[in-house]
Amino acid sequence: KHRPQLVRYEALCKSPGLPPAQVALAWLLSRPGLTCPVVGPHSIADLDGAAQIRRAHIAEALSFRRIAPERR
């Protein structure tokens, strides 16, 4: 049922060469009204990756509407 969205998500992750977790976090940060997602890093590298999302403004650079269009 959701395979087409997963295929688009995988392609989106490959485009900038980001791990899926960073792309997911960027998507969360792009949502209106969401100000502070909770992350659970397993290592310092995971924490650094999460911090880079905000600094690099990746959420603004990626087009998340290709994965999950807004529902009205």
Side-chain angles (χ1 to χ4, degrees), residues 8-22:
R8 289 193 300 269
Y9 178 72
E10 291 168 353
L12 182 69
C13 292
K14 287 179 185 176
S15 168
L18 295 172
Q22 286 186 6

Side-chain angles (χ1 to χ4, degrees), residues 9 12-13 16-39 46 48-67 70:
Y9 178 72
L12 182 69
C13 292
L18 295 172
Q22 286 186 6
V23 174
L25 181 58
W27 180 80
L28 283 172
L29 291 170
S30 75
R31 308 307 296 167
L34 185 68
T35 58
C36 186
V38 176
V39 296
D46 289 347
D48 287 341
Q52 288 175 6
I53 294 296
R54 204 59 184 152
R55 283 197 304 268
H57 301 287
I58 294 170
E60 296 167 10
L62 296 172
S63 174
F64 294 109
R65 293 184 196 283
R66 290 183 288 164
I67 301 171
E70 297 218 13

